[in-house]
Amino acid sequence: MAEAALDAVRRELRGFPAAARELSVPLEVPYLDEPPTPLSFYRDWVCPNRPCIIRGALEHWPALQKWSLPYLRATVGSTEVSVAVTPDGYADAVRGGRFVMPAELRLPLGLVLDVLEGRAQHPGVLYVQKQCSNLSTELPQLLPDLEPHVPWASEALGKMPDAVNFWLGEAAAVTSLHKDHYENLYCVVSGEKRFLLHPPSDRPFIPYELYPPATYRLTADGSFQVVEETAADKVPWIPLDPLAPDLARYPSYSQAQALCCTVRAGEMLYLPALWFHHVQQSQGCIAVNYWYDMEYDLRYSYFQLLDSLTKASGLEQEAR
Amino acid sequence: MAEAALDAVRRELRGFPAAARELSVPLEVPYLDEPPTPLSFYRDWVCPNRPCIIRGALEHWPALQKWSLPYLRATVGSTEVSVAVTPDGYADAVRGGRFVMPAELRLPLGLVLDVLEGRAQHPGVLYVQKQCSNLSTELPQLLPDLEPHVPWASEALGKMPDAVNFWLGEAAAVTSLHKDHYENLYCVVSGEKRFLLHPPSDRPFIPYELYPPATYRLTADGSFQVVEETAADKVPWIPLDPLAPDLARYPSYSQAQALCCTVRAGEMLYLPALWFHHVQQSQGCIAVNYWYDMEYDLRYSYFQLLDSLTKASGLEQEAR
C-alpha cells in the first residue's frame, strides 16, 4: 500500500521536469535584439523564470570599447585584488569527497594579467571572481566605464543590485554546477563565456550530497594542500560534472536536459534565480554581473517543496 | 522503508501550506487606494499570485452612478438573458453524491428584477451568472456604461480579457468553492460580494472527489428534478462547504486558512488564477468581472505537481 503510493509519488516527481519543460522551458536560450521594457522584462522573463540573451544592452558602456588586458594593466595593474587559486580551475567544487573552496590570494591585478598573457607563471589556475561586489570594493577606478546598475532591470525588479561583480580569469577556470538565489544579469565585456543551464524543474534529476568543507592552501613550493574546516557544517553540493556526468552513479541525470549557450562580448545573459549553471570561459574573458536579490514568493516555496520531496521520496538514493 | 519515505513525503506536503503562507500570503486581503501601474500590478500582485482590493478603479465608469435595479429595468428589462435556477442557491455544487449544475432558463431580465424587488415570485433561486461573456453577448446595451477591458491590467498582462461577465442575483445564490485558470478582476457596481479565499498552496488540505454530473430541471409544478448526465465523464469537485465544513469527514481542512473579504460597490478584487474561492452576495448585487487567461508557466506546472502529489501520496484518503 505504502509502496504503491510512494511509487506514484516518485513517478509524479520524475514526470515533472518534462511537463515543466514542455510548458515553459525553451529548447535554446532566445536572443533579444534590444533591452526589454521593464514590464516586458518582468512579465516575459523574470516571472516565468526564463533565461534570455540580450543584445545592445551594453553599447553605451565605455567599457565595451575600452576594456582589454592592456587597458586593465594601465588603469588598475597595481591594484591588489582577491584572486581564487585552485590546482585544477575548479573553485567551490567536490574533490575527493570534500567541498573544496579556493585559496584566496591578494595579488596585484597586473600579475594576473601577466599570467593571462603568458608573460609570467603562477602555480594553479587564477580567477578574479570574488562575489562581494568586488568591482566597487576592489576596483572602483573602473566604475566610470559602466553603469552602477541596469536601469530597466532595476525599474522592473523595483530594487537596486545587491552586488556588482568583476570576473577575469584563465580558460581553465570553471564554475561548477550550482544555483544562486539571485536574478543574475551577466555581461560579457571581452571574450566569451559558455553556460550550461538547467531549469529549477530539473531538480529531481540533479544529485545533491553533503560534503565536509575544505579550502585549498597554496604552499611555498607551489603545491596545494586541502585543509579541512573541521568546525563547519557539511555543505550540500552537486557532485556531478555536467560535461562528463558519471551516469553509472547518477543515472537519472540522463533525463535532465541542459541548455547550452555562449555569451559573447557585448551580450548580457539574464540567468534567472534558482537556475543551475556551470560556466566556462575563454582565456582572459572580462565580465561583470549584477545580482539582484530574488523575490521569496510562491515560486520559491514551490522550489523548496520540490527540493524537499526529491529528498523525502528517496528519489536521489534510488538514482544512485 | 517505503512507509518511512511516504510519511516523509506527506509531512512535506502538509507543511507546505504554512511555509508558503508565511512567505507570501497576507493575513488579510490588502487594499490599494488607486489602480496600480501595469508594472506594479504584474510584479507585486500577478507574479506573486497575491489578491488585493483596488479602490478608485471604476470611478470613471458611468455604471457606477447609473446602475440600479430600476435603471436595469428601464434599459434592459425586456431583454432575455440566461438565468441559473437552483432549489437552494447553489449552482455547480455537490448535492446527493452528484455534481449538480443549475437549470438554465431564458427569462426577461425584468422578471429577475421583479423577483429581486419582491414584486414577483419564481421557483428556486435566480442568478444571472452565465460566464460566456454574457455582458457583451446578452446585454450589449449596457456596454457604454463601462470599459470593455481594464486598461492597466490589459497592458500588464499583455492581452485582452477572454470574457466580460455580468452578475446579478438573489442573496441566497452562492458560488461553491472552486478555482479558475483565469486572472480575475471582479468589480462590484452595486451591493456587495463576500469572498472566502484559499491560496493554491492550501491544496493539500482541500478535498476533491469525482462526481457524476447532473443538472437541475425545473418542472411545471415548480419543483426541481435532478437529471443525470449519464454519458458524461465524472467531474472532480470540492465537496466541502467552507462555511460549515464537515471536519469529521475532512479533518485536514482545519489546517487550511481562509482569507475572507467583502468587496463593496466601486471596489475591484484582483482574484489571482488558481485561488480557491467561495462567493456570497447581497440581494440584487450587480457586478462585472473580467477574465484574463492565465499564463501556463512554471507556476502552473508547480500547482499541477502539488495537485498530483496530494492525490498520489494518499493525503486525501488519509484525511477522510
Side-chain angles (χ1 to χ4, degrees), chain B residues 169-239:
Chain B
E170 299 188 67
V174 174
T175 302
S176 74
L177 193 64
H178 74 289
K179 62 178 164 50
D180 303 304
H181 49 270
Y182 288 108
E183 306 293 354
N184 195 340
L185 290 170
Y186 204 106
C187 311
V188 175
V189 179
S190 171
E192 61 185 46
K193 294 260 176 184
R194 288 183 300 288
F195 288 82
L196 182 151
L197 307 173
H198 283 286
S201 50
D202 268 355
R203 173 66 183 91
F205 300 141
I206 293 181
Y208 267 88
E209 290 178 26
L210 283 170
Y211 297 94
T215 305
Y216 285 121
R217 188 166 72 190
L218 182 55
T219 60
D221 68 359
S223 69
F224 286 86
Q225 285 181 340
V226 172
V227 181
E228 288 198 32
E229 313 254 341
T230 44
D233 286 343
K234 287 190 172 182
V235 174
W237 206 258
I238 299 167

Side-chain angles (χ1 to χ4, degrees), chain B residues 239-259:
Chain B
L240 176 138
D241 179 354
L243 300 182
D246 181 348
L247 294 179
R249 192 160 179 189
Y250 307 108
S252 70
Y253 180 72
S254 64
Q255 295 174 69
Q257 202 169 306
L259 276 80

Side-chain angles (χ1 to χ4, degrees), chain A residues 24 53 74 84 86 107 177 212 244 257 273 294:
Chain A
S24 63
I53 296 173
T86 55
L107 301 175
L177 193 64
Q257 201 168 306
M294 70 174 287

Side-chain angles (χ1 to χ4, degrees), chain B:
Chain B
M1 190 62 193
E3 271 170 32
L6 185 63
D7 278 352
V9 164
R10 290 178 172 177
R11 202 160 45 240
E12 293 295 341
L13 287 170
R14 279 192 295 257
F16 176 68
R21 191 178 298 127
E22 191 170 341
L23 273 189
S24 63
V25 182
L27 293 172
E28 298 191 339
V29 180
Y31 285 87
L32 307 189
D33 287 332
E34 54 185 48
T37 63
L39 173 60
S40 162
F41 181 54
Y42 209 90
R43 179 184 62 211
D44 302 330
W45 308 101
V46 176
C47 183
N49 199 239
R50 271 190 208 116
C52 60
I53 297 174
I54 302 155
R55 287 175 166 148
L58 321 180
E59 270 166 10
H60 58 295
W61 285 10
L64 199 59
Q65 303 305 320
K66 291 159 82 174
W67 286 12
S68 64
L69 303 190
Y71 173 82
L72 293 180
R73 180 179 283 105
T75 318
V76 285
S78 61
T79 303
E80 267 201 355
V81 294
S82 181
V83 184
V85 188
T86 55
D88 58 359
Y90 282 78
D92 299 343
V94 175
R95 286 291 177 268
R98 297 189 187 87
F99 172 71
V100 190
M101 291 168 281
E104 286 204 10
L105 306 188
R106 302 283 310 173
L107 300 175
L109 194 71
L111 174 56
V112 178
L113 295 165
D114 287 345
V115 170
L116 287 171
E117 294 188 321
R119 304 181 187 193
Q121 298 230 318
H122 192 283
V125 177
L126 305 186
Y127 199 2
V128 178
Q129 60 134 25
K130 195 162 172 71
Q131 293 140 60
C132 59
S133 233
N134 66 342
L135 183 67
S136 5
T137 57
E138 297 193 330
L139 296 163
Q141 308 95 317
L142 296 177
L143 287 175
D145 293 344
L146 42 68
E147 284 184 302
H149 68 130
V150 181
W152 45 268
S154 302
E155 187 181 339
L157 300 163
K159 60 182 89 167
M160 295 296 281
D162 269 14
V164 186
N165 303 309
F166 176 88
W167 308 75
L168 172 68
E170 299 188 67
V174 174
T175 302
S176 74
L177 193 64
H178 74 289
K179 62 178 164 50
D180 303 304
H181 49 270
Y182 288 108
E183 306 293 354
N184 195 340
L185 290 170
Y186 204 106
C187 311
V188 175
V189 179
S190 171
E192 61 185 46
K193 294 260 176 184
R194 288 183 300 288
F195 288 82
L196 182 151
L197 307 173
H198 283 286
S201 50
D202 268 355
R203 173 66 183 91
F205 300 141
I206 293 181
Y208 267 88
E209 290 178 26
L210 283 170
Y211 297 94
T215 305
Y216 285 121
R217 188 166 72 190
L218 182 55
T219 60
D221 68 359
S223 69
F224 286 86
Q225 285 181 340
V226 172
V227 181
E228 288 198 32
E229 313 254 341
T230 44
D233 286 343
K234 287 190 172 182
V235 174
W237 206 258
I238 299 167
L240 176 138
D241 179 354
L243 300 182
D246 181 348
L247 294 179
R249 192 160 179 189
Y250 307 108
S252 70
Y253 180 72
S254 64
Q255 295 174 69
Q257 202 169 306
L259 276 80
C260 294
C261 66
T262 298
V263 185
R264 297 185 172 80
E267 294 176 344
M268 174 192 285
L269 171 67
Y270 166 55
L271 174 53
L274 302 182
W275 273 64
F276 301 95
H277 51 288
H278 170 280
V279 196
Q280 299 171 274
Q281 63 188 335
S282 61
Q283 177 79 359
C285 174
I286 313 173
V288 168
N289 87 300
Y290 298 85
W291 261 347
Y292 289 85
D293 201 14
M294 71 175 285
E295 288 299 319
Y296 293 89
D297 61 13
L298 182 60
R299 294 170 306 161
Y300 179 76
S301 298
Y302 274 136
F303 178 79
Q304 293 293 97
L305 178 68
L306 181 64
D307 183 66
S308 311
L309 288 174
T310 299
K311 291 179 221 164
S313 69
L315 208 64
E316 292 192 318
Q317 280 67 40
E318 182 200 51
R320 236 162 266 160

Side-chain angles (χ1 to χ4, degrees), chain A residues 64-88:
Chain A
L64 199 58
Q65 304 306 320
K66 291 161 78 174
W67 286 13
S68 64
L69 302 190
Y71 174 81
L72 293 180
R73 180 178 284 108
T75 320
V76 285
S78 61
T79 303
E80 268 203 357
V81 295
S82 179
V83 183
V85 188
T86 55
D88 58 359

